[in-house]
Amino acid sequence: MAERGLTDTGATASASGATLAGALARPAVRVAIVYLAARVLTSGFLMLASMLSPEGSRFGRGADLATYVLAWDAQWYWLIAVEGYPTDLPRDDNGDVVQNAWAFMPVFPVLARLVGAPFGSWAVGAFLIALVAGYLCCLVLYRMFAERLGGTAATWSVVFVAAGPLALLFQVGYAESLFLLLILLGIRLLERRRYLPLYPVVLAMAYVRPGVLAFALLLGLVGLWRWFSRSRDPLSAGEIAHILGVGALATAAGLSWPLIAGAVTGDPTGYLETELSWRRLWVGDAGAFVPFEGWIQAAQFWFGATWRVGEIWGYVALAAIVAGSAALLLFEPHVRRLGVVPRLWAASYLLYLFAVFFPQSSVFRLLFPLAPLYGALAVPHSTAWRLAVLGACLLGQWWWIWNMYGIGSNFWQIP
């Protein structure tokens, strides 16, 4: 009887071990473990920053996690959820439009209000949406790269994204993680040539945060790539129709928000003036919006007026950034392993940023949609390399949290 009991116990332990191993082998479980561990670590960084915050810091010493969830642009989303959008654009004494809610899209604040309603807190809803969307981002990334890079590299890609320098965006009241999820779903659907689900994904993307025009450009580039490679990869009339159709929807949706803002406020330029109001905080009145002008202004502002090393070096740096980005996406072997569509997305989004953005402290956050490029860092098989990358990610995350949330008092410490 004793021997049988030992045998039964051993069999039970063996079965339990097999069950645990089977669960860990499932991507959804493995990604969840990585993601939750990273969120605990990020929360630890936030609490450490709170304890170390100096007197005079933006949120003060001892700020709690809820304060950080509602910090910075999360306040604008909360305001939209509570009050909606202004019908009269606020203006300063010179008649210039000042910062207002029209710079932010409605999907995230409305969803956060709905999700947070049972808890009586918009912040809880915003936190849960960001948290769940972040997990789904990591799961989509894993599936995207497992087929191309293998399971181990795909897991490391998830580690780098979940613990990366901008990982705090997965647990604060920002729309970034939801926007990234829609981007990754869009890339995945394009790779798998499933066009019908792309229509609702693109439509939702347009009203989560600005950037759907970059996805419209991606669709155009994918269409050109498919056309020129049709001799070895046939392109049907149906595919052409869908690529054009989704591209047209993305373009129309991307251009609709300025029209909506103009119709509600009675000012056709209200949206662009609202966006430019943030730029005026840095460079003063820069006139009307001109595509790509922001980077020229930044070269003058940062290298000339601020750092005083000469504007010419700003132009040199800009040229180096453009050339280096193009070379990375075209020729770097680890990046090429990611596939055509993720690289075309990176090119499209970077071109979009070059067209519309004035580079300042928020540039780090605005690079968040380039998360698929983390996969290139996971390609090398060296464990030492991967641990070094993880260490760099954690250092970058701490630096960003400390400066943007622990201090957040200087003009360059705005996330």
Side-chain angles (χ1 to χ4, degrees), residues 171-183:
Q171 56 191 85
V172 293
Y174 274 64
E176 263 70 7
S177 63
L178 183 58
F179 185 63
L180 178 61
L181 174 60
L182 293 169
I183 289 167

Side-chain angles (χ1 to χ4, degrees), residues 321-369:
I321 290 172
V322 172
S325 299
L328 184 75
L329 296 176
L330 285 170
F331 306 117
E332 208 288 321
H334 302 94
V335 175
R336 288 175 63 88
R337 288 281 305 277
L338 303 181
V340 173
V341 179
R343 288 189 293 139
L344 288 179
W345 161 250
S348 300
Y349 186 70
L350 286 173
L351 186 60
Y352 169 80
L353 287 185
F354 280 129
V356 305
F357 185 58
F358 171 83
Q360 27 84 0
S361 60
S362 295
V363 71
F364 300 107
R365 175 173 57 86
L366 292 183
L367 293 176
F368 192 60

Side-chain angles (χ1 to χ4, degrees), residues 191-238:
E191 287 187 319
R192 297 173 69 84
R193 300 176 187 178
R194 296 180 57 195
Y195 298 105
L196 286 178
L198 264 177
Y199 290 91
V201 167
V202 163
L203 192 59
M205 189 188 302
Y207 302 106
V208 171
R209 58 161 288 110
V212 73
L213 290 177
F215 202 86
L217 177 58
L218 168 65
L219 287 159
L221 294 177
V222 168
L224 289 174
W225 165 61
R226 292 293 311 282
W227 176 261
F228 286 112
S229 61
R230 68 189 185 280
S231 60
R232 62 179 182 277
D233 184 8
L235 178 63
S236 69

Side-chain angles (χ1 to χ4, degrees), residues 2 4 13 49 76 92 109 116 143 150-151 170 188 199 215 280 371 381 398 406:
R4 182 177 178 179
W76 286 111
D92 60 18
R143 296 190 183 282
F170 290 132
R188 180 74 170 156
Y199 290 91
F215 202 86
R280 282 194 290 269
H381 294 296
W398 166 249

